[in-house]
Amino acid sequence: MPTDLERRRAIDTAASMYLAEEPLDMSLLAERLGVGRATLYRWVGNRDELLGTVLAEATERTYRKAMSQASGQGPEYILDVFGRVMQSVESSTELRALTKREPMVFIKLAMMPGSIESISASITAEILQSQVDAGQLTITLSPQVLGEALVRICDVHLYAPLLGREKAEIETALDLIALLLGVTRN
């Protein structure tokens, strides 16, 4: 069983490769870590699991940054957070490089149940609950269910180019989020 430090070192090195817009090659990663491939797989799982972890951690950082920069309360705050997250994702050169290099892998990791969707939905539920607790938002679904729905809406519209559309449809996603939150956008 790997130590937390060994696993963290492997994830951080994989993240560095991602940020350098390099393909995540498990043999190269194992070499950089000074371990065998079998050891690397024991530490982090298969390539898709590792890439999912790297992207999930990047997703969490993106949400946390957006949350700290967003303004307003209730639906206005939620829309600001989502707008910031989607703009950040759309402008990410690292993510663009990955989606050009491996579009189907990315679609599988980002749009199907897994670590990326899980962290996105969890943070969204946290945001929703915080606004409900502050008396700034009333929702008829549980924060978790509504959070999952909002994430799915964003994914489909944000990654529209991977699904055959010409460009990301961020404004459409924000309009739909506003509708589900019971408000209209300016």
Side-chain angles (χ1 to χ4, degrees):
M1 201 70 193
T3 66
D4 289 343
L5 183 60
E6 291 167 331
R7 178 171 165 71
R8 183 77 255 157
R9 189 167 62 102
I11 292 167
D12 290 345
T13 304
S16 295
M17 293 171 76
Y18 166 73
L19 291 172
E21 299 178 25
E22 298 176 29
L24 181 54
D25 179 289
M26 296 297 273
S27 294
L28 179 59
L29 178 58
E31 183 180 310
R32 286 183 183 178
L33 294 168
V35 299
R37 282 176 48 113
T39 298
L40 177 61
Y41 280 87
R42 276 194 308 277
W43 287 2
V44 296
N46 68 37
R47 180 183 183 278
D48 285 358
E49 291 170 325
L50 177 56
L51 187 53
T53 298
V54 167
L55 293 174
E57 288 183 0
T59 298
E60 181 169 8
R61 285 189 302 274
T62 301
Y63 269 93
R64 299 288 178 204
K65 181 177 179 184
M67 290 165 64
S68 72
Q69 295 175 340
S71 62
Q73 297 177 335
E76 180 183 311
Y77 174 75
I78 294 164
L79 287 164
D80 193 9
V81 169
F82 272 105
R84 289 172 185 275
V85 167
M86 288 188 288
Q87 291 295 335
S88 179
V89 169
E90 183 183 40
S91 66
S92 169
T93 58
E94 301 88 0
L95 193 57
R96 194 173 305 116
L98 174 63
T99 59
K100 283 183 181 176
R101 195 171 52 245
E102 301 181 68
M104 296 311 291
V105 170
F106 179 75
I107 287 172
K108 181 176 98 173
L109 292 173
M111 298 187 71
M112 297 185 72
S115 57
I116 299 168
E117 180 185 303
S118 177
I119 194 68
S120 297
S122 177
I123 293 171
T124 300
E126 175 188 320
I127 294 166
L128 292 166
Q129 189 64 57
S130 73
Q131 295 303 301
V132 168
D133 291 348
Q136 300 298 322
L137 179 69
T138 302
I139 55 178
T140 58
L141 297 170
S142 74
Q144 190 64 38
V145 169
L146 182 56
E148 289 171 6
L150 297 181
V151 166
R152 296 255 175 168
I153 287 168
C154 289
D155 286 350
V156 167
H157 291 86
L158 181 59
Y159 305 126
L162 295 173
L163 302 172
R165 297 281 191 186
E166 188 175 317
K167 61 182 181 144
E169 300 168 341
I170 293 173
E171 294 304 314
T172 301
L174 291 172
D175 287 343
L176 291 169
I177 291 170
L179 180 68
L180 288 173
L181 297 176
V183 297
T184 55
R185 290 183 64 220
N186 301 349

